[in-house]
Amino acid sequence: MGTCTTLGGRAWTPRYVVAIDQERCIGCGRCYKTCGRAVLALVEKPFAADDDEFGDRMGNKVMSVKDRDDCVGCEACARICAKKCYTHAPAA
């Protein structure tokens, strides 16, 4: 898939979600609410420390890409993300 045309006749190249930096994500859910295509999902944040350290039992969530194939390339998720966690790219 290459360049598309907007309703106004301008060229536009969709850029699809490739990855989310889960180290930067704070799990606020703003991108999840913005995406109308069910591309994203909140998941438990990976935690590598010992069980005794604080943070493990906090239930922290981060965003992940659930269904990349349903992304339409609008980049609304990246524009709403305060932490700039998203990587997008045109279709290969």
Side-chain angles (χ1 to χ4, degrees):
M1 177 171 257
T3 301
C4 302
T5 305
T6 67
L7 184 59
R10 288 183 294 233
W12 173 67
T13 302
R15 293 176 45 85
Y16 303 96
V17 65
V18 174
I20 300 171
D21 184 346
Q22 292 185 338
E23 292 299 315
R24 297 180 78 178
C25 180
I26 59 172
C28 68
R30 292 173 72 188
C31 56
Y32 180 81
K33 294 174 188 171
T34 300
C35 181
R37 305 287 303 171
V39 173
L40 308 171
L42 271 173
V43 297
E44 289 293 325
K45 184 172 186 168
F47 191 73
D50 295 333
D51 288 340
D52 294 344
E53 292 190 32
F54 117 42
D56 192 39
R57 292 179 230 121
M58 298 293 289
N60 295 333
K61 303 272 187 178
V62 292
M63 202 55 61
S64 71
V65 180
K66 179 178 90 175
D67 188 2
R68 179 185 305 181
D69 291 340
D70 211 19
C71 180
V72 296
C74 68
E75 296 183 83
C77 53
R79 286 193 303 277
I80 199 77
C81 182
K83 294 296 182 179
K84 308 299 180 210
C85 300
Y86 283 84
T87 303
H88 287 78

